[in-house]
Amino acid sequence: MGELGQPPWVGQAIFITGVAVGFYFLGRWSQRQKQVLSKSGPPTSRCAPRDTSGHQAACSKVDEACQSVLERKAISKMGDLLSMLSQLPPKPFGKDSGTDTPAHSAARAVLVCASGKGGVGKSTTSVNLAFQLKQLGVEVGLLDLDVYGPSLPSLVKLPEVPVMQNERGRIVPLEYDGVALMSWGYIEPEKAANVRAPILNQMVTQLLTSVEWGLLDVLIIDTPPGTGDVLLSLGQTLPVDGAIIVTTSNQVSLADVVKGVQLFDKLEIAPLLVVANMATLSCEACGHQHELFADSAMTRLPTFLESKGIGLVKMPFDPILSEAPKWPSPPLTHEYPFVRNPDHENRPAMAGFHRLTHAVLEALLCASGSSETSGVCGTKLKIRGSGSLEVRLHTGELRPIGSGDVRAACRCAVCVDEMTGEVKIDRQRILEDQGLHAISLSTVGNYAVRVEFSDGHSTVVALRALEQMVGGGAVAWTRPSDKSDGTW
């Protein structure tokens, strides 16, 4: 017997078990890496410039998936949409109430993923959308706002490590494969939140204001099902750009879609898309698409959404998609979420998430012209006889904008290094150039405009970015400097 009263073989068994588990994950990692590297090319040194080939390959896959489904004359390329997204000024949030400290977080876009009832696949949709955007090179944060029944810890399993607070008392988000994550289920794992409404509101407010995300491109918020107080608190706390409503194709769920649209209208949050989840089933033998629901309510939904300017995306049913991981796996194994696993590349649900990601970005940037994004952006850019520019907002109001402001915001390859993100132009000189003026305008798809300037440069700028540049959207955010008072 050992010193602690246990047989000596126990320690040996534990050691052998640990080695076996290590080799298992190493083997899984090797298999996944071979699949991933075969698609994205060899890895590069940490000191080398950032390689965007993987992101370009992901963009191509999304474009191919959309091209095979969308029947339209002109389709927005994913690379163009990502460029337009990067032009949106970051919107600040998370400022401590009652203080003069600057906001600790910001996002170019804040999206809400909601549903009228539970069990329709809302959390699965939001998680895979977040990781699909990350694969495209977008900096993403994912917040699970369901305190009573959080789903994020089940869909993205992490080792049980305590959630930390920094020296300023703010919550530090967890991370998995570059996506920032936070949920009450990570803070209090495996514990039921048995609290009344006043305490629930305080917990929700803490999640909305005390998580220090830093600078994000997109923050996705997975809200609890229904149209309760949480959505009201969210609409009053964060600058939300739009909502994605997830439903299934039956009368009960679709009735809640109408209620959800009405609520978002009251909160002045634009419903961008409705996702009809589990709408079809693809036969693995012949590939034929079968409608899963025979409810006639689905035939009336497109007409209702079109009257509201809301897009519709149908997602296929996939039994593998409903499988949650049983234990935590390192990101290098590419086990989960669904869109990260190369084994799922040819499954219908993977193509569905490609289409959904494309449709979300188009709707966010006010694109139109397809059955999947039918919203129309009312913002327009006008040129006067003198070459000066004016932005007409969707409200009809005209606001002037400097030619230098539009020219300096350009993010083409001439102005910004695509590999490092380094700005290659003297923006201050451009802003001070009094002789710079616009010569001509032309539209780019349904979400941007091309401006030819007197210096010979051509700039493509998103209509949503123009709206926010003239104060028609949220106030732009400047990252605080690192100060001794703890505000960076």
Side-chain angles (χ1 to χ4, degrees):
M1 302 292 287
E3 295 181 0
L4 299 179
Q6 63 182 9
W9 57 265
V10 173
Q12 298 175 0
I14 294 176
F15 173 76
I16 294 174
T17 302
V19 172
V21 171
F23 275 109
Y24 168 78
F25 280 120
L26 182 61
R28 299 290 291 177
W29 172 79
S30 301
Q31 295 174 9
R32 298 296 185 209
Q33 287 299 299
K34 289 179 181 178
Q35 291 175 289
V36 173
L37 293 178
S38 66
K39 295 178 173 61
S40 60
T44 57
S45 168
R46 289 174 59 92
C47 300
R50 181 170 61 92
D51 183 12
T52 59
S53 60
H55 298 157
Q56 293 171 352
C59 291
S60 298
K61 293 176 185 176
V62 176
D63 289 338
E64 290 172 3
C66 293
Q67 187 66 52
S68 64
V69 175
L70 299 183
E71 298 179 356
R72 51 187 299 189
K73 296 180 180 179
I75 185 169
S76 306
K77 294 296 184 181
M78 179 56 70
D80 295 337
L81 293 173
L82 295 175
S83 177
M84 297 301 103
L85 176 65
S86 67
Q87 292 182 355
L88 301 182
K91 297 180 289 295
F93 60 89
K95 183 177 180 179
D96 297 331
S97 59
T99 66
D100 294 330
T101 58
H104 55 71
S105 302
R108 302 184 189 279
V110 178
L111 298 176
V112 172
C113 193
S115 66
K117 59 173 69 280
V120 298
K122 168 182 57 63
S123 296
T124 300
T125 299
S126 61
V127 166
N128 284 279
L129 174 61
F131 281 88
Q132 179 75 75
L133 287 170
K134 181 59 184 178
Q135 289 181 339
L136 296 170
V138 178
E139 293 299 324
V140 186
L142 177 58
L143 174 60
D144 181 1
L145 214 54
D146 193 341
V147 174
Y148 289 133
S151 299
L152 185 56
S154 298
L155 297 173
V156 184
K157 281 192 176 295
L158 301 177
E160 290 191 8
V161 295
V163 174
M164 305 298 293
Q165 286 183 304
N166 57 25
E167 63 275 10
R168 297 176 291 279
R170 296 165 186 157
I171 301 173
V172 179
L174 303 175
E175 185 175 300
Y176 190 82
D177 194 37
V179 177
L181 308 169
M182 185 45 56
S183 167
W184 195 261
Y186 290 137
I187 300 175
E188 295 285 348
E190 305 297 334
K191 291 184 180 179
N194 186 18
V195 296
R196 295 186 181 273
I199 304 300
L200 172 66
N201 290 336
Q202 294 179 17
M203 297 164 70
V204 169
T205 300
Q206 184 179 12
L207 288 172
L208 290 174
T209 61
S210 299
V211 180
E212 190 164 315
W213 302 97
L215 177 58
L216 299 172
D217 291 322
V218 178
L219 174 63
I220 299 176
I221 302 176
D222 182 13
T223 62
T227 56
D229 291 343
V230 173
L231 286 176
L232 297 175
S233 299
L234 173 60
Q236 297 168 358
T237 306
L238 294 188
V240 181
D241 291 278
I244 303 165
I245 303 175
V246 183
T247 184
T248 52
S249 305
N250 56 72
Q251 179 64 48
V252 177
S253 297
L254 294 177
D256 289 326
V257 170
V258 178
K259 298 177 183 177
V261 171
Q262 293 172 348
L263 176 63
F264 285 123
D265 285 342
K266 292 180 180 179
L267 296 176
E268 296 185 353
I269 296 176
L272 301 178
L273 292 172
V274 168
V275 178
N277 200 22
M278 299 176 282
T280 59
L281 174 64
S282 178
C283 176
E284 296 188 359
C286 66
H288 181 71
Q289 296 286 334
H290 300 272
E291 297 287 338
L292 281 183
F293 295 90
D295 201 317
S296 61
M298 188 61 194
T299 61
R300 300 191 298 271
L301 180 63
T303 303
F304 169 75
L305 296 179
E306 185 176 358
S307 67
K308 295 288 186 179
I310 304 172
L312 174 63
V313 177
K314 291 185 177 182
M315 289 289 294
F317 172 79
D318 194 320
I320 294 181
L321 189 59
S322 64
E323 296 179 358
K326 296 179 177 61
W327 50 72
S329 296
L332 289 177
T333 63
H334 292 268
E335 293 284 345
Y336 57 83
F338 178 89
V339 296
R340 295 187 65 248
N341 193 326
D343 293 342
H344 304 154
E345 190 62 43
N346 296 321
R347 299 195 67 86
M350 184 68 82
F353 281 116
H354 290 335
R355 296 195 306 271
L356 174 61
T357 305
H358 191 279
V360 166
L361 289 177
E362 279 200 324
L364 178 65
L365 295 167
C366 300
S368 64
S370 78
S371 61
E372 301 208 357
T373 52
S374 58
V376 178
C377 181
T379 302
K380 297 180 180 179
L381 185 65
K382 301 174 66 69
I383 184 173
R384 296 300 181 187
S386 60
S388 60
L389 296 172
E390 287 183 332
V391 176
R392 182 179 292 279
L393 300 176
H394 64 279
T395 59
E397 180 182 1
L398 275 174
R399 294 189 182 181
I401 184 171
S403 296
D405 293 326
V406 178
R407 171 69 176 85
C410 183
R411 297 188 61 85
C412 70
V414 175
C415 300
V416 179
D417 191 294
E418 292 181 327
M419 305 295 286
T420 64
E422 178 186 1
V423 178
K424 300 191 293 185
I425 57 175
D426 187 346
R427 287 180 169 171
Q428 189 59 38
R429 182 190 63 80
I430 292 174
L431 292 172
E432 296 174 353
D433 186 356
Q434 299 295 323
L436 183 68
H437 61 275
I439 297 178
S440 63
L441 301 177
S442 59
T443 58
V444 178
N446 298 288
Y447 57 88
V449 62
R450 185 185 304 276
V451 186
E452 301 285 346
F453 287 102
S454 56
D455 63 354
H457 188 76
S458 174
T459 295
V460 178
V461 59
L463 295 174
R464 176 66 66 87
L466 285 172
E467 180 179 295
Q468 296 185 0
M469 288 169 67
V470 297
V475 180
W477 178 74
T478 303
R479 185 186 181 111
S481 58
D482 192 359
K483 301 177 183 178
S484 58
D485 61 359
T487 57
W488 274 341

PDB file of all heavy atoms in Angstrom, residues 313-330:
ATOM      1  N   VAL A 313     -34.743  33.735 -44.773  1.00  0.00           N
ATOM      2  CA  VAL A 313     -33.744  32.712 -45.075  1.00  0.00           C
ATOM      3  C   VAL A 313     -34.265  31.382 -44.548  1.00  0.00           C
ATOM      4  O   VAL A 313     -34.628  31.270 -43.380  1.00  0.00           O
ATOM      5  CB  VAL A 313     -32.387  33.031 -44.423  1.00  0.00           C
ATOM      6  CG1 VAL A 313     -31.390  31.912 -44.704  1.00  0.00           C
ATOM      7  CG2 VAL A 313     -31.844  34.358 -44.926  1.00  0.00           C
ATOM      8  N   LYS A 314     -34.300  30.366 -45.413  1.00  0.00           N
ATOM      9  CA  LYS A 314     -34.721  29.027 -45.006  1.00  0.00           C
ATOM     10  C   LYS A 314     -33.488  28.183 -44.727  1.00  0.00           C
ATOM     11  O   LYS A 314     -32.598  28.062 -45.570  1.00  0.00           O
ATOM     12  CB  LYS A 314     -35.573  28.375 -46.097  1.00  0.00           C
ATOM     13  CG  LYS A 314     -36.939  29.007 -46.285  1.00  0.00           C
ATOM     14  CD  LYS A 314     -37.764  28.226 -47.286  1.00  0.00           C
ATOM     15  CE  LYS A 314     -39.162  28.808 -47.439  1.00  0.00           C
ATOM     16  NZ  LYS A 314     -39.969  28.016 -48.387  1.00  0.00           N
ATOM     17  N   MET A 315     -33.464  27.582 -43.533  1.00  0.00           N
ATOM     18  CA  MET A 315     -32.359  26.722 -43.137  1.00  0.00           C
ATOM     19  C   MET A 315     -32.811  25.267 -43.141  1.00  0.00           C
ATOM     20  O   MET A 315     -33.904  24.948 -42.668  1.00  0.00           O
ATOM     21  CB  MET A 315     -31.858  27.098 -41.748  1.00  0.00           C
ATOM     22  CG  MET A 315     -31.125  28.421 -41.692  1.00  0.00           C
ATOM     23  SD  MET A 315     -29.511  28.341 -42.505  1.00  0.00           S
ATOM     24  CE  MET A 315     -28.645  27.202 -41.422  1.00  0.00           C
ATOM     25  N   PRO A 316     -31.977  24.357 -43.650  1.00  0.00           N
ATOM     26  CA  PRO A 316     -32.364  22.942 -43.688  1.00  0.00           C
ATOM     27  C   PRO A 316     -32.210  22.270 -42.325  1.00  0.00           C
ATOM     28  O   PRO A 316     -31.442  22.727 -41.469  1.00  0.00           O
ATOM     29  CB  PRO A 316     -31.391  22.346 -44.708  1.00  0.00           C
ATOM     30  CG  PRO A 316     -30.168  23.206 -44.588  1.00  0.00           C
ATOM     31  CD  PRO A 316     -30.673  24.594 -44.294  1.00  0.00           C
ATOM     32  N   PHE A 317     -32.942  21.202 -42.136  1.00  0.00           N
ATOM     33  CA  PHE A 317     -32.777  20.377 -40.936  1.00  0.00           C
ATOM     34  C   PHE A 317     -31.575  19.456 -41.129  1.00  0.00           C
ATOM     35  O   PHE A 317     -31.399  18.853 -42.180  1.00  0.00           O
ATOM     36  CB  PHE A 317     -34.034  19.535 -40.683  1.00  0.00           C
ATOM     37  CG  PHE A 317     -33.870  18.518 -39.589  1.00  0.00           C
ATOM     38  CD1 PHE A 317     -33.954  18.894 -38.267  1.00  0.00           C
ATOM     39  CD2 PHE A 317     -33.612  17.192 -39.901  1.00  0.00           C
ATOM     40  CE1 PHE A 317     -33.789  17.955 -37.258  1.00  0.00           C
ATOM     41  CE2 PHE A 317     -33.459  16.245 -38.904  1.00  0.00           C
ATOM     42  CZ  PHE A 317     -33.543  16.636 -37.572  1.00  0.00           C
ATOM     43  N   ASP A 318     -30.726  19.392 -40.101  1.00  0.00           N
ATOM     44  CA  ASP A 318     -29.564  18.513 -40.145  1.00  0.00           C
ATOM     45  C   ASP A 318     -29.425  17.859 -38.775  1.00  0.00           C
ATOM     46  O   ASP A 318     -29.208  18.555 -37.777  1.00  0.00           O
ATOM     47  CB  ASP A 318     -28.298  19.296 -40.489  1.00  0.00           C
ATOM     48  CG  ASP A 318     -27.138  18.388 -40.866  1.00  0.00           C
ATOM     49  OD1 ASP A 318     -26.976  17.331 -40.219  1.00  0.00           O
ATOM     50  OD2 ASP A 318     -26.390  18.731 -41.804  1.00  0.00           O
ATOM     51  N   PRO A 319     -29.561  16.545 -38.667  1.00  0.00           N
ATOM     52  CA  PRO A 319     -29.491  15.898 -37.350  1.00  0.00           C
ATOM     53  C   PRO A 319     -28.157  16.096 -36.648  1.00  0.00           C
ATOM     54  O   PRO A 319     -28.101  16.142 -35.415  1.00  0.00           O
ATOM     55  CB  PRO A 319     -29.741  14.419 -37.667  1.00  0.00           C
ATOM     56  CG  PRO A 319     -29.470  14.267 -39.125  1.00  0.00           C
ATOM     57  CD  PRO A 319     -29.818  15.581 -39.744  1.00  0.00           C
ATOM     58  N   ILE A 320     -27.073  16.228 -37.411  1.00  0.00           N
ATOM     59  CA  ILE A 320     -25.758  16.438 -36.792  1.00  0.00           C
ATOM     60  C   ILE A 320     -25.688  17.796 -36.116  1.00  0.00           C
ATOM     61  O   ILE A 320     -25.011  17.971 -35.096  1.00  0.00           O
ATOM     62  CB  ILE A 320     -24.650  16.281 -37.850  1.00  0.00           C
ATOM     63  CG1 ILE A 320     -24.597  14.838 -38.345  1.00  0.00           C
ATOM     64  CG2 ILE A 320     -23.290  16.696 -37.294  1.00  0.00           C
ATOM     65  CD1 ILE A 320     -23.529  14.574 -39.375  1.00  0.00           C
ATOM     66  N   LEU A 321     -26.416  18.760 -36.659  1.00  0.00           N
ATOM     67  CA  LEU A 321     -26.372  20.112 -36.116  1.00  0.00           C
ATOM     68  C   LEU A 321     -26.892  20.171 -34.684  1.00  0.00           C
ATOM     69  O   LEU A 321     -26.499  21.046 -33.907  1.00  0.00           O
ATOM     70  CB  LEU A 321     -27.197  21.043 -37.013  1.00  0.00           C
ATOM     71  CG  LEU A 321     -27.122  22.542 -36.741  1.00  0.00           C
ATOM     72  CD1 LEU A 321     -25.700  23.043 -36.869  1.00  0.00           C
ATOM     73  CD2 LEU A 321     -28.032  23.289 -37.706  1.00  0.00           C
ATOM     74  N   SER A 322     -27.766  19.252 -34.322  1.00  0.00           N
ATOM     75  CA  SER A 322     -28.341  19.262 -32.981  1.00  0.00           C
ATOM     76  C   SER A 322     -27.457  18.576 -31.946  1.00  0.00           C
ATOM     77  O   SER A 322     -27.774  18.590 -30.756  1.00  0.00           O
ATOM     78  CB  SER A 322     -29.712  18.575 -32.995  1.00  0.00           C
ATOM     79  OG  SER A 322     -29.575  17.201 -33.351  1.00  0.00           O
ATOM     80  N   GLU A 323     -26.351  17.997 -32.380  1.00  0.00           N
ATOM     81  CA  GLU A 323     -25.474  17.297 -31.453  1.00  0.00           C
ATOM     82  C   GLU A 323     -24.581  18.285 -30.717  1.00  0.00           C
ATOM     83  O   GLU A 323     -23.780  18.997 -31.336  1.00  0.00           O
ATOM     84  CB  GLU A 323     -24.607  16.276 -32.200  1.00  0.00           C
ATOM     85  CG  GLU A 323     -25.397  15.145 -32.847  1.00  0.00           C
ATOM     86  CD  GLU A 323     -24.491  14.174 -33.584  1.00  0.00           C
ATOM     87  OE1 GLU A 323     -23.269  14.425 -33.615  1.00  0.00           O
ATOM     88  OE2 GLU A 323     -25.003  13.189 -34.131  1.00  0.00           O
ATOM     89  N   ALA A 324     -24.699  18.341 -29.399  1.00  0.00           N
ATOM     90  CA  ALA A 324     -23.860  19.198 -28.574  1.00  0.00           C
ATOM     91  C   ALA A 324     -22.632  18.419 -28.129  1.00  0.00           C
ATOM     92  O   ALA A 324     -22.700  17.199 -27.925  1.00  0.00           O
ATOM     93  CB  ALA A 324     -24.638  19.698 -27.356  1.00  0.00           C
ATOM     94  N   PRO A 325     -21.482  19.066 -27.991  1.00  0.00           N
ATOM     95  CA  PRO A 325     -20.278  18.351 -27.545  1.00  0.00           C
ATOM     96  C   PRO A 325     -20.455  17.788 -26.138  1.00  0.00           C
ATOM     97  O   PRO A 325     -21.096  18.401 -25.286  1.00  0.00           O
ATOM     98  CB  PRO A 325     -19.195  19.432 -27.596  1.00  0.00           C
ATOM     99  CG  PRO A 325     -19.928  20.725 -27.534  1.00  0.00           C
ATOM    100  CD  PRO A 325     -21.236  20.494 -28.214  1.00  0.00           C
ATOM    101  N   LYS A 326     -19.885  16.619 -25.907  1.00  0.00           N
ATOM    102  CA  LYS A 326     -20.025  15.961 -24.606  1.00  0.00           C
ATOM    103  C   LYS A 326     -18.994  16.443 -23.604  1.00  0.00           C
ATOM    104  O   LYS A 326     -19.204  16.384 -22.397  1.00  0.00           O
ATOM    105  CB  LYS A 326     -19.915  14.445 -24.782  1.00  0.00           C
ATOM    106  CG  LYS A 326     -21.027  13.826 -25.624  1.00  0.00           C
ATOM    107  CD  LYS A 326     -20.840  12.327 -25.766  1.00  0.00           C
ATOM    108  CE  LYS A 326     -22.007  11.700 -26.542  1.00  0.00           C
ATOM    109  NZ  LYS A 326     -22.125  12.248 -27.901  1.00  0.00           N
ATOM    110  N   TRP A 327     -17.865  16.891 -24.087  1.00  0.00           N
ATOM    111  CA  TRP A 327     -16.807  17.385 -23.203  1.00  0.00           C
ATOM    112  C   TRP A 327     -16.003  18.449 -23.955  1.00  0.00           C
ATOM    113  O   TRP A 327     -16.050  18.540 -25.178  1.00  0.00           O
ATOM    114  CB  TRP A 327     -15.896  16.232 -22.761  1.00  0.00           C
ATOM    115  CG  TRP A 327     -15.408  15.381 -23.886  1.00  0.00           C
ATOM    116  CD1 TRP A 327     -14.483  15.696 -24.833  1.00  0.00           C
ATOM    117  CD2 TRP A 327     -15.874  14.062 -24.203  1.00  0.00           C
ATOM    118  NE1 TRP A 327     -14.330  14.680 -25.715  1.00  0.00           N
ATOM    119  CE2 TRP A 327     -15.144  13.653 -25.348  1.00  0.00           C
ATOM    120  CE3 TRP A 327     -16.791  13.176 -23.624  1.00  0.00           C
ATOM    121  CZ2 TRP A 327     -15.329  12.412 -25.934  1.00  0.00           C
ATOM    122  CZ3 TRP A 327     -16.960  11.945 -24.203  1.00  0.00           C
ATOM    123  CH2 TRP A 327     -16.250  11.560 -25.334  1.00  0.00           C
ATOM    124  N   PRO A 328     -15.233  19.259 -23.218  1.00  0.00           N
ATOM    125  CA  PRO A 328     -14.446  20.308 -23.876  1.00  0.00           C
ATOM    126  C   PRO A 328     -13.367  19.719 -24.781  1.00  0.00           C
ATOM    127  O   PRO A 328     -12.747  18.705 -24.451  1.00  0.00           O
ATOM    128  CB  PRO A 328     -13.822  21.075 -22.700  1.00  0.00           C
ATOM    129  CG  PRO A 328     -14.658  20.738 -21.521  1.00  0.00           C
ATOM    130  CD  PRO A 328     -15.155  19.342 -21.748  1.00  0.00           C
ATOM    131  N   SER A 329     -13.171  20.345 -25.926  1.00  0.00           N
ATOM    132  CA  SER A 329     -12.097  19.981 -26.845  1.00  0.00           C
ATOM    133  C   SER A 329     -11.330  21.238 -27.216  1.00  0.00           C
ATOM    134  O   SER A 329     -11.926  22.311 -27.366  1.00  0.00           O
ATOM    135  CB  SER A 329     -12.648  19.328 -28.120  1.00  0.00           C
ATOM    136  OG  SER A 329     -13.296  18.107 -27.832  1.00  0.00           O
ATOM    137  N   PRO A 330     -10.024  21.149 -27.382  1.00  0.00           N
ATOM    138  CA  PRO A 330      -9.242  22.327 -27.780  1.00  0.00           C
ATOM    139  C   PRO A 330      -9.674  22.826 -29.156  1.00  0.00           C
ATOM    140  O   PRO A 330     -10.115  22.037 -29.999  1.00  0.00           O
ATOM    141  CB  PRO A 330      -7.801  21.805 -27.806  1.00  0.00           C
ATOM    142  CG  PRO A 330      -7.817  20.510 -27.072  1.00  0.00           C
ATOM    143  CD  PRO A 330      -9.187  19.953 -27.197  1.00  0.00           C
TER     144      PRO A 330
END
